[in-house]
Amino acid sequence: MPVLLGQGVLARTRYVELPEPPGARKGVAGHGPALRLLIIGDSSAAGVGVRTQDEALLGQLIDRLADQFTVEYDLVAETGARTGDVLRWLDDLPETHYDVAVTALGVNDVTKGVSLRKWLGQQRELFDCLMTKFGARRVVISGLPPVGQFPLLPQPLRWVLGRQASRFDRYLRQMAEAMPGCVAVQFSLDLDQSNMSEDGFHPGPTVYAVWADEVAQIILNDPDLLDAAPTTP
């Protein structure tokens, strides 16, 4: 434990804090039937690690959907957010209905010591709220990335946090499988310094592109979303 605590302090001293990229977080893009999209979560949802929102998950996902949908989008994300923080945000958001809500949460819960039981309860509350208050037809769960591959983290801290993140992700996927309307993204890309951002902790453009590909395929292959999408005037 003293070694892990010391490595945690060392990682923080080596960490290069990157800003959330500029760009519109609310708007309309594309053409075709309307698709109302919410992306909500932590710094990865906010796009930390790239220069603009066009290179982040939001911009790359809109780019993949805009040929088939008029995408009405909202991005609600903040660096350092945990699931409990997002639940408090939802209390203050207007009751706008979304067709798809994409979540990106969990890494900060792991690094800040939130228990698995508490986190799963918060995640279930989050999904319920997105489907009831916000009318989401589909909740796309991004799950946790392979934290054990983050270049910033030294060993054995990287191994310990990686094991915990994998455990959180495994239980999250099991819960999603049992909840109608929820689907988990299958993240299969290996991470290293070549495709991560300069801080060694956040995605680079390539990772965001792969992430956007996976989410777009879920949306584009969902007949319920395609059949229910209203036509824009």
Side-chain angles (χ1 to χ4, degrees):
M1 183 60 69
V3 172
L4 297 178
L5 290 174
Q7 289 192 330
V9 172
L10 176 62
R12 289 187 179 92
T13 62
R14 292 167 50 191
Y15 179 64
V16 178
E17 186 171 355
L18 300 177
E20 295 178 6
R25 295 190 173 206
K26 183 181 183 67
V28 180
H31 55 83
L35 181 79
R36 293 154 297 191
L37 172 69
L38 171 68
I39 296 178
I40 190 164
D42 56 22
S43 55
S44 63
V48 171
V50 294
R51 294 171 297 178
T52 69
Q53 287 296 336
D54 288 341
E55 295 181 307
L57 174 64
L58 174 65
Q60 299 215 45
L61 181 55
I62 290 171
D63 182 64
R64 287 152 177 76
L65 299 175
D67 285 342
Q68 299 207 33
F69 295 104
T70 298
V71 184
E72 304 172 21
Y73 61 89
D74 285 301
L75 171 62
V76 181
E78 184 177 307
T79 298
R82 292 173 291 184
T83 306
D85 300 319
V86 171
L87 288 173
R88 289 187 287 274
W89 299 350
L90 293 180
D91 288 338
D92 298 327
L93 292 179
E95 293 188 24
T96 304
H97 278 209
Y98 295 99
D99 297 298
V100 180
V102 181
T103 67
L105 289 160
V107 171
N108 294 313
D109 296 272
V110 168
T111 60
K112 294 176 182 177
V114 178
S115 72
L116 175 62
R117 181 183 296 274
K118 179 178 180 179
W119 182 70
L120 289 174
Q122 291 175 334
Q123 285 283 320
R124 182 178 292 277
E125 185 179 350
L126 173 62
F127 304 154
D128 288 341
C129 183
L130 291 171
M131 290 181 174
T132 54
K133 179 179 178 179
F134 297 95
R137 299 179 59 81
R138 189 71 68 239
V139 176
V140 180
I141 304 160
S142 299
L144 282 82
V147 174
Q149 298 176 13
F150 282 10
L152 172 71
L153 302 175
Q155 296 288 13
L157 178 63
R158 183 190 301 185
W159 181 85
V160 171
L161 291 179
R163 285 287 299 269
Q164 183 73 329
S166 295
R167 181 167 170 255
F168 273 48
D169 189 63
R170 183 172 66 255
Y171 279 95
L172 179 65
R173 292 179 186 280
Q174 291 174 1
M175 187 170 69
E177 290 176 358
M179 296 186 68
C182 290
V183 59
V185 176
Q186 297 295 323
F187 192 93
S188 57
L189 181 67
D190 289 334
L191 302 179
D192 56 40
Q193 198 60 62
S194 68
N195 55 27
M196 295 284 282
S197 67
E198 63 181 284
D199 68 4
F201 195 83
H202 288 95
T206 300
V207 179
Y208 279 118
V210 172
W211 186 3
D213 285 339
E214 297 296 333
V215 176
Q217 287 304 308
I218 290 172
I219 296 171
L220 294 172
N221 292 328
D222 190 325
D224 291 338
L225 292 174
L226 296 174
D227 292 343
T231 303
T232 55

